[in-house]
Amino acid sequence: MIDPRTELAADEIEHLYEAAIALADEAREIIQGALAAGFSVKHKPDGTLVTSTDIQVEERLRAAIEERFACHGIIGEELPARHPDSALQWILDPIDGTEDFVHRVPTFGTILALHYKGEPIVGILEHTALGLRASAAYGHGTYYRCQRSRLADLPPEVGDDRARVILSARGNFIRYRDEGATFDALARTFPNHRIYRSCYGHTLVATGAADAMVDFHDSLWDLAAARIAVEEAGGAYRTVREFELPGGQRIYSSVFGKPALVERILAVIGAAGPQP
Amino acid sequence: MIDPRTELAADEIEHLYEAAIALADEAREIIQGALAAGFSVKHKPDGTLVTSTDIQVEERLRAAIEERFACHGIIGEELPARHPDSALQWILDPIDGTEDFVHRVPTFGTILALHYKGEPIVGILEHTALGLRASAAYGHGTYYRCQRSRLADLPPEVGDDRARVILSARGNFIRYRDEGATFDALARTFPNHRIYRSCYGHTLVATGAADAMVDFHDSLWDLAAARIAVEEAGGAYRTVREFELPGGQRIYSSVFGKPALVERILAVIGAAGPQP
C-alpha cells in the first residue's frame, strides 16, 4: 500500500508544519500565563482532572485552526470533534498530564498533531514548564533543542537490565481491560524502567534520552504526536492493541523507540499472554 | 530516648543551615557550568555512571566544608569518608540521578545533608536544571519556592487507586536482595504510581506534589535529606529495611509522605512477605 502522505507536496507539509508551530506557541503563552496567575481545577465524570487552562488552550487552538483552515477536522480531548470526515485532522491534547500540571510537576505537556488520512504528518510535544519542545514533520526529521534527533540502537553490551524503558503506570494496563500481567512481565524484564505520566515520555524517547516506551490504553490524542516524532528520528513505532469502548471511543496501546529494543519489548508482550 | 538534636541551640542550627545553603549554591554553579560547557562520562565498576561533574561538585563541597568546619565529618558518594567519628556529619550526593544528568533529563539533583549523632538537622534537595530547591532544617520547616510546605493527609475519598505514590524502579527492589514481590504488590495496590529516579521523588513528596514514596535499597547519601525534608513538612518517614553489604556499606529502604498513606503502604509491604 502506498503511504497516503506521499500525496502531499513538500511545501504543503512545510506550510502546515509552520502553522502547527504557531499553534504550539499560542498554547505555550496561555500555559505560561496560567502558571503565573493560577487556574481552576474540576474533576471530570471519569474521575480525572480538568483545569480552566485545558479548556482555554483547546478553545484558542480550535479558533485559530477554524480561522485558518475552515475545512480541516479537529479532534480534541475536551470538546466535540469537528469535520470528522476531513482527510486532514488536527488532534489536540491541550494539557497531557493534567494531574502533573495541577501539582506543578513540570513534565506535563501539550500534544498537537496533524494527521492526513490517518497518518501523522506533523507532531509537536510542547513542554512549557521545562522550556522544551520536540517537533517533527513527515520527511523533515525530528528536532529538539535546535538539533536533529537520530535514534541509534543500543550497543550490544547494554542488556535488558540496563535499557532505559518508560512504562505507563500499572493503572493504565488495567484501565479498560486487565493487562496487568503484561505490566508485571515488562517490569521484571526491564528493571531499569521509569514511569512518567504524559507526553514527557514520548519526548524522552523521540530525543534518545530514554530508549523505548510502552504506553498502554490511551486515547488518540495521547499518542497523536508520538509516532511521527519517533519515526522521523529513525525509531520504530508499533501499535500493539486497538479496541473500541462501548461509547465508540477507540483505545490504543503502543511500543516505540530504538528499533531493536522495540522488537525485544514486543516479544515480552507477546509472551506475557494473548491479547485479552 | 531524648532526640539528640535538642542539644543544639537554635542559632547553631541556623548557622549550619546557612552554610548548607551556600554549599548548595556552589553545587548549582558548577552544574550550570557543566550543562552549558559539557562534561565527561565514565562507567564505575558497579556499572553505574559517574561524570566529571559528580567529582568536581563533591571535591568543591568537601574543600568548602573542610575550610569552614575542619572537625566535621564528610560522607560522600564518590570519595572516602573523613572524620567518621565526628558527631556532625555532612552527607553529599553531588549528582543523584547521574544517568538522568547524562541524558539531560532535568530531574536529577544534588542531595546535601548534615546529620548530628545520626539524626538529620539540615537537608537540601537542589534541582539545578529545574531551577528548584527544597530545603529544611530541624525546627525550621521545609521550604520550596519561597513557601513553607505542609503535608496534609489525603481526603478520605481518595483511595489507593488514586494516591500518587512514587516507587523506586523494580531494579532497586532486587538490587541486593530479591524483594521484587514487594514491588509487584505495591504496583498492584497503588496503580497510579510513577517512577522517578533520584531525589526528585523526595522533593515531590516533601512538597506535597506526590503523596508518598517507597525508596528501596539505597545508600545513606541517597536518603540523607529526605527524612528532614518530609518530617519538617509534617510528613511521616519510616525506615523499613536496613542491612549491611559484605564490604560494610549499609543499605536502607524507606517509606515516607502523608502520614495515613505511609501507614497503608507499610501494611502492603508487611503483607507482601517477611523481610528476606
Side-chain angles (χ1 to χ4, degrees):
Chain A
M1 204 184 76
I2 293 170
D3 189 325
R5 295 176 290 188
T6 55
E7 296 163 14
L8 298 169
D11 63 347
E12 190 175 353
I13 292 178
E14 257 168 61
H15 171 70
L16 294 164
Y17 191 16
E18 276 165 30
I21 287 177
L23 292 172
D25 290 345
E26 293 213 52
R28 178 165 59 191
E29 197 181 299
I30 297 171
I31 291 169
Q32 279 172 338
L35 287 171
F39 48 83
S40 66
V41 183
K42 279 195 310 204
H43 281 89
K44 289 199 275 192
D46 65 357
T48 62
L49 299 169
V50 62
T51 71
S52 52
T53 313
D54 294 73
I55 306 292
Q56 211 189 330
V57 170
E58 187 163 331
E59 283 175 348
R60 172 92 72 97
L61 298 191
R62 280 170 175 265
I65 295 166
E66 285 170 22
E67 194 185 313
R68 193 150 170 201
F69 304 109
C71 314
H72 288 191
I74 308 178
I75 299 169
E77 177 165 13
E78 309 300 344
L79 297 164
R82 175 193 159 93
H83 294 325
D85 298 324
S86 170
L88 283 158
Q89 293 286 336
W90 292 90
I91 305 173
L92 312 175
D93 189 351
I95 300 182
D96 186 62
T98 300
E99 198 183 19
D100 284 346
F101 176 67
V102 167
H103 292 92
R104 300 191 179 245
V105 179
T107 47
F108 66 87
T110 301
I111 298 175
L112 205 152
L114 180 59
H115 288 199
Y116 176 67
K117 298 186 178 175
E119 306 290 322
I121 54 172
V122 171
I124 298 186
L125 299 155
E126 156 67 25
H127 299 286
T128 297
L130 295 170
L132 297 173
R133 177 186 293 174
S135 65
Y138 183 63
H140 284 68
T142 298
Y143 280 80
Y144 181 70
R145 295 183 190 271
C146 310
Q147 286 200 318
R148 187 154 179 181
S149 170
R150 294 183 198 275
L151 303 182
D153 274 322
L154 287 168
E157 71 269 20
V158 177
D160 291 343
D161 59 322
R162 278 177 47 212
R164 294 163 54 88
V165 175
I166 301 175
L167 304 178
S168 308
R170 198 173 193 279
N172 274 51
F173 286 77
I174 58 172
R175 191 186 276 163
Y176 301 114
R177 295 174 170 188
D178 186 354
E179 303 203 65
T182 300
F183 173 89
D184 297 338
L186 290 165
R188 278 192 177 81
T189 311
F190 303 102
N192 187 28
H193 52 194
R194 51 211 73 202
I195 296 176
Y196 298 100
R197 204 61 36 84
S198 90
C199 65
Y200 188 56
H202 307 178
T203 298
L204 292 178
V205 171
T207 62
D211 301 319
M213 182 166 186
V214 184
D215 207 350
F216 257 54
H217 293 199
D218 278 315
S219 300
L220 180 62
W221 43 81
D222 295 313
L223 287 162
R227 185 180 139 204
I228 187 90
V230 167
E231 288 184 344
E232 285 291 325
Y237 185 98
R238 300 285 178 269
T239 301
V240 292
R241 305 276 189 270
E242 192 178 336
F243 56 85
E244 207 168 282
L245 296 183
Q249 195 191 333
R250 294 195 75 75
I251 300 299
Y252 304 84
S253 301
S254 296
V255 179
F256 44 93
K258 298 179 176 173
L261 180 58
V262 166
E263 291 305 314
R264 279 150 60 189
I265 293 171
L266 293 176
V268 173
I269 292 173
Q275 181 173 348
Chain B
M1 204 183 78
I2 293 172
D3 189 325
R5 294 176 291 188
T6 56
E7 296 164 12
L8 298 169
D11 63 347
E12 192 175 350
I13 292 177
E14 258 169 60
H15 171 71
L16 295 165
Y17 191 17
E18 277 165 28
I21 287 176
L23 292 171
D25 289 345
E26 293 213 53
R28 179 165 58 191
E29 197 182 298
I30 296 170
I31 292 169
Q32 279 172 338
L35 287 171
F39 48 84
S40 65
V41 184
K42 278 196 312 205
H43 281 90
K44 288 200 276 194
D46 66 356
T48 63
L49 299 169
V50 63
T51 71
S52 51
T53 313
D54 295 73
I55 305 292
Q56 211 188 330
V57 170
E58 186 163 330
E59 283 175 346
R60 171 93 71 97
L61 298 191
R62 281 170 174 265
I65 294 165
E66 285 169 22
E67 192 184 311
R68 194 151 170 199
F69 305 108
C71 313
H72 288 190
I74 308 178
I75 300 169
E77 178 165 13
E78 309 299 345
L79 298 163
R82 175 192 159 94
H83 295 323
D85 298 324
S86 170
L88 283 158
Q89 293 286 336
W90 292 90
I91 306 172
L92 312 174
D93 190 351
I95 300 181
D96 185 64
T98 300
E99 198 184 17
D100 283 347
F101 176 68
V102 167
H103 291 91
R104 300 191 179 244
V105 179
T107 47
F108 65 86
T110 301
I111 298 176
L112 205 153
L114 180 60
H115 288 199
Y116 177 67
K117 297 186 178 175
E119 306 290 322
I121 54 173
V122 171
I124 299 186
L125 299 156
E126 156 68 25
H127 299 287
T128 298
L130 295 170
L132 296 173
R133 177 186 293 175
S135 66
Y138 183 62
H140 285 69
T142 298
Y143 281 80
Y144 181 69
R145 295 183 190 272
C146 310
Q147 286 200 320
R148 186 154 178 180
S149 170
R150 294 182 199 276
L151 303 183
D153 274 323
L154 287 168
E157 71 270 18
V158 177
D160 291 343
D161 59 322
R162 277 176 49 210
R164 292 162 56 88
V165 175
I166 301 174
L167 304 178
S168 308
R170 199 175 191 278
N172 274 50
F173 285 78
I174 58 172
R175 191 186 278 165
Y176 301 114
R177 296 174 170 189
D178 186 354
E179 303 203 66
T182 299
F183 173 89
D184 297 339
L186 290 165
R188 279 192 177 82
T189 310
F190 302 102
N192 187 27
H193 53 193
R194 52 211 71 203
I195 296 176
Y196 298 100
R197 204 61 37 85
S198 89
C199 64
Y200 189 56
H202 307 178
T203 297
L204 292 178
V205 171
T207 61
D211 300 319
M213 181 165 186
V214 184
D215 207 350
F216 258 54
H217 293 198
D218 277 315
S219 300
L220 181 61
W221 45 81
D222 294 314
L223 288 162
R227 186 180 138 205
I228 187 89
V230 168
E231 288 184 344
E232 284 291 324
Y237 185 98
R238 300 284 176 270
T239 300
V240 292
R241 304 275 189 271
E242 193 178 336
F243 55 85
E244 207 169 280
L245 295 183
Q249 195 190 336
R250 295 195 74 75
I251 301 299
Y252 304 85
S253 300
S254 296
V255 179
F256 44 93
K258 298 180 176 173
L261 180 58
V262 166
E263 291 305 314
R264 279 149 60 187
I265 293 171
L266 293 175
V268 173
I269 293 173
Q275 182 173 347

